[in-house]
Amino acid sequence: RYYNIQSSNQGAFGSSVHRVVGDISLEQSINRPYGYLRNKFEEIIRYYNSDDVHTETSIIPSFSSEAGLFFEKRGNHLYQTLMPKLFYVYVPYRSQYDFPIIDASVKSDNNLSSLFSSRRFQGFDRIGDENAFVLSMSTMIKQAKATYELEMGKQINIESPKLCLDKDCDDDSHAYNPLILNLKGSQDNFLITANANYDTSLKSFRNVGANLE
């Protein structure tokens, strides 16, 4: 049970609410030395109750398919890998503005794996609609005393997402079109990392960072 929910986030409920979430999934995987294919069907079931005053139930299905290939090259004091990936996700639109916002937020991290997900919102109070492809490429170059890793991925929306965190959509949470870039390099005793999450719909960075050790 959750207490002290802000009035702006209560939806059709009060300041306290019970929430029950079920996540049912069925996955098929085909793995080969040169690549893989994964298909996933998922249903998220949610139940909200506010002291028997108001009750909401929601069942939202989703489908995703991910494919990747693996290439490698070996030479004198050199090892290089290359891995392209393609991902497709579909989640139908369902209005959810009567539901309270307990822990929902827009994803803004720099983790490339966050693109390969059927959910663009963190938490369970908003299950965003999706009809999109994701293209990504990652590579590693390893030499005697140095290792470099680069990965980048881009979401391409077939249909623009509709669902927002709040009904007014004044937070632009429906605008989700991320481009993620990560770079990591180590040589001798030095390690450098740089990453960025740029939303091409908003034309601004959701997250950016760099570190040198």
Side-chain angles (χ1 to χ4, degrees), residues 60-61 89-97 118-121 126-132 155 157 159-164 173-174 176:
I60 300 181
V89 59
Y90 176 76
V91 184
Y93 172 80
R94 298 287 188 272
S95 178
Q96 299 158 57
Y97 298 120
S118 61
R119 289 162 50 195
R120 59 186 168 92
F121 292 111
R126 295 292 183 269
I127 307 299
D129 53 309
E130 296 279 2
N131 188 7
Q155 178 162 321
N157 293 323
E159 294 180 288
S160 298
K162 301 175 184 177
L163 188 74
C164 300
S173 54
H174 66 295
Y176 188 73

Side-chain angles (χ1 to χ4, degrees), residues 166-200:
D166 59 70
K167 192 173 184 178
D168 296 332
C169 286
D170 53 5
D171 56 359
D172 291 323
S173 54
H174 66 295
Y176 188 73
N177 206 347
L179 168 65
I180 292 180
L181 177 66
N182 292 321
L183 173 65
K184 182 179 179 181
S186 61
Q187 186 167 359
D188 296 327
N189 295 324
F190 293 96
L191 173 65
I192 183 172
T193 59
N195 46 68
N197 182 335
Y198 181 79
D199 197 304
T200 56

Side-chain angles (χ1 to χ4, degrees), residues 11-211:
F13 293 81
S15 61
S16 65
V17 64
H18 295 274
R19 182 183 71 179
V20 179
V21 177
D23 190 346
I24 303 172
S25 63
L26 177 64
E27 185 171 326
Q28 176 195 39
S29 297
I30 301 174
N31 298 292
R32 297 291 185 269
Y34 52 82
Y36 67 91
L37 173 66
R38 298 192 190 108
N39 297 315
K40 185 177 182 180
F41 297 90
E42 185 177 17
E43 277 195 343
I44 295 181
I45 304 169
R46 295 170 299 169
Y47 171 83
Y48 294 85
N49 178 274
S50 180
D51 295 328
D52 297 322
V53 175
H54 191 80
T55 299
E56 291 280 353
T57 303
S58 169
I59 302 176
I60 300 181
S62 68
F63 168 76
S64 63
S65 182
E66 179 181 341
L69 294 173
F70 181 74
F71 302 94
E72 63 178 356
K73 178 181 179 181
R74 299 178 184 270
N76 293 330
H77 310 292
L78 176 68
Y79 175 68
Q80 182 177 4
T81 64
L82 182 67
M83 191 169 189
K85 292 182 182 180
L86 175 64
F87 179 73
Y88 172 75
V89 59
Y90 176 76
V91 184
Y93 172 80
R94 298 287 188 272
S95 178
Q96 299 158 57
Y97 298 120
D98 284 344
F99 294 178
I101 298 177
I102 299 171
D103 55 9
S105 62
V106 180
K107 288 183 178 179
S108 61
D109 60 67
N110 298 326
N111 192 336
L112 191 66
S113 63
S114 66
L115 291 179
F116 295 86
S117 169
S118 61
R119 289 162 50 195
R120 59 186 168 92
F121 292 111
Q122 294 176 334
F124 289 97
D125 303 312
R126 295 292 183 269
I127 307 299
D129 53 309
E130 296 279 2
N131 188 7
F133 284 100
V134 172
L135 301 174
S136 79
M137 186 78 69
S138 59
T139 183
M140 179 188 71
I141 299 176
K142 188 173 184 179
Q143 298 174 320
K145 296 184 178 180
T147 301
Y148 304 98
E149 299 176 45
L150 173 66
E151 58 180 17
M152 62 184 302
K154 175 73 175 72
Q155 178 162 321
I156 302 170
N157 293 323
I158 300 173
E159 294 180 288
S160 298
K162 301 175 184 177
L163 188 74
C164 300
L165 285 173
D166 59 70
K167 192 173 184 178
D168 296 332
C169 286
D170 53 5
D171 56 359
D172 291 323
S173 54
H174 66 295
Y176 188 73
N177 206 347
L179 168 65
I180 292 180
L181 177 66
N182 292 321
L183 173 65
K184 182 179 179 181
S186 61
Q187 186 167 359
D188 296 327
N189 295 324
F190 293 96
L191 173 65
I192 183 172
T193 59
N195 46 68
N197 182 335
Y198 181 79
D199 197 304
T200 56
S201 292
L202 298 176
K203 294 181 173 57
S204 64
F205 286 97
R206 289 188 180 273
N207 202 333
V208 64
N211 187 46

